[in-house]
Amino acid sequence: MADFSDRAVQVALLLSFASGVLVGWQANRVRRRFLDWRKKRLQDKLAETQKKLDLA
């Protein structure tokens, strides 16, 4: 088994934490974009339905 120094462990922990933060940030951006897209799509469908009801 390899002998790890304290420095190597600290660097590994820092890298894993930083990658976790980065992945979480990107995932949140993607989620926000999806929610904005879904909201716009539903608002468009609602406006279309209201327009149909007004014409009926």
Side-chain angles (χ1 to χ4, degrees):
M1 197 77 182
D3 201 13
F4 293 111
S5 66
D6 276 348
R7 186 78 177 148
V9 172
Q10 287 176 348
V11 169
L13 280 173
L14 181 66
L15 284 176
S16 65
F17 178 76
S19 65
V21 167
L22 187 65
V23 167
W25 174 56
Q26 290 297 321
N28 193 43
R29 284 185 61 210
V30 170
R31 181 177 169 271
R32 274 279 138 223
R33 285 182 57 197
F34 167 73
L35 291 176
D36 290 343
W37 169 81
R38 188 173 68 172
K39 180 180 177 183
K40 183 182 181 323
R41 182 178 63 100
L42 289 173
Q43 285 176 336
D44 291 346
K45 285 175 96 173
L46 176 63
E48 186 179 319
T49 303
Q50 286 176 332
K51 192 174 180 182
K52 285 181 183 176
L53 286 173
D54 287 343
L55 292 176

